[in-house]
Amino acid sequence: MKKIILITGGQRSGKSSFAEKLALSLSPNPIYIATAHIWDEEFRQRVIRHQQRRGRNWINIEEEKYLSKHHIHNKVCVIDCITLWCTNFFFDSTKKEMNQPSINEVLQNLKDEFDHFTQQDATFIFVTNEIGSGGVSNSSVQRRFTDLQGWMNQYVAAKANEVILMVSGIPVKIKE
C-alpha cells in the first residue's frame, strides 16, 4: 500500500536520524536515496558519515534529479532531501544566471517528477527543510529558492499521509 510521509524541520533538528529509524522500524532493508550533489570535500565527508551511520542493511542510491528512474515497488524508501533535490533543478551550473529556468518551470518539473516517482506502491519517507522560517534574505536568488522550496514542501505535504515536524530532536505530528 502506498504511503507518503514528510519529515520537515530546521537544520540539525534530527530529521534524517528520525527518518532512518522510522524506515528501519518498517523494513529490515530500506532504501536510501540521497539527492545531494557533492560540492566540496567537507560535504563529501558529511555524506560518508551518514553512510557509515546507516550501516550495511541499507540499499544506497545516489540520484540528484530523476527519482522515478528507480523502481522501489513494495519497499520502504527514505529520500533525503527535498531541499537538495530542488537545488539540483533550480541551478544549472552549465548556464548563466539569466538563462536559469524560471521558478514556475522548475516547480512544475519537480511536481511532475514527484508524481511520477510516487505512483509506485511503496512507503516514501521524504526529508525536507523549513528554510523559510527565518528572515527574508537580501539575495534575490535566495528569495527565489526559498519560495520554490516552500511551494514544493506545500505540494508534498498536501499529498502526504503523514507530516512530522522535528523540533530539537523531538517529532511533532502535524498531519496524520
Side-chain angles (χ1 to χ4, degrees), residues 19-173:
E20 292 166 14
K21 288 175 189 166
L22 176 59
L24 287 170
S25 76
L26 300 172
S27 171
N29 298 102
I31 298 170
Y32 189 96
I33 297 181
T35 62
H37 176 81
I38 306 299
W39 299 100
D40 57 29
E41 186 55 32
E42 183 274 332
F43 198 78
R44 180 181 313 286
Q45 292 304 314
R46 181 183 292 221
V47 167
I48 290 169
R49 283 191 306 274
H50 274 243
Q51 290 169 340
Q52 290 170 341
R53 179 182 74 212
R54 283 193 300 273
R56 295 180 183 264
N57 54 328
W58 287 83
I59 298 165
N60 292 298
I61 299 171
E62 294 189 27
E63 179 57 55
E64 293 182 16
K65 279 188 157 180
Y66 302 105
L67 304 177
S68 64
K69 290 189 330 190
H70 304 282
H71 303 286
I72 62 165
H73 186 73
N74 288 333
K75 303 284 186 187
V76 173
C77 182
V78 172
I79 302 90
D80 196 356
C81 75
I82 291 174
T83 308
L84 296 172
W85 187 51
C86 286
T87 301
N88 298 333
F89 279 85
F90 177 77
F91 181 72
D92 183 341
S93 62
T94 65
K95 295 180 180 178
K96 294 183 180 185
E97 186 174 338
M98 65 186 148
N99 295 327
Q100 295 294 325
S102 72
I103 293 299
N104 289 337
E105 181 183 349
V106 172
L107 184 59
Q108 191 58 57
N109 289 338
L110 285 161
K111 287 177 177 180
D112 291 346
E113 183 62 23
F114 174 85
D115 289 342
H116 188 62
F117 179 56
T118 59
Q119 284 177 1
Q120 301 177 71
D121 188 15
T123 299
F124 303 90
I125 304 171
F126 284 90
V127 176
T128 194
N129 292 283
E130 288 295 326
I131 64 172
S133 295
V136 177
S137 175
N138 63 357
S139 163
S140 64
V141 173
Q142 182 59 48
R143 287 192 305 271
R144 287 177 56 234
F145 184 77
T146 300
D147 290 347
L148 171 69
Q149 172 73 39
W151 290 324
M152 192 60 195
N153 281 352
Q154 289 180 44
Y155 187 78
V156 174
K159 303 260 182 175
N161 303 92
E162 293 179 40
V163 178
I164 299 163
L165 172 66
M166 294 299 296
V167 180
S168 301
I170 299 169
V172 180
K173 290 236 178 188

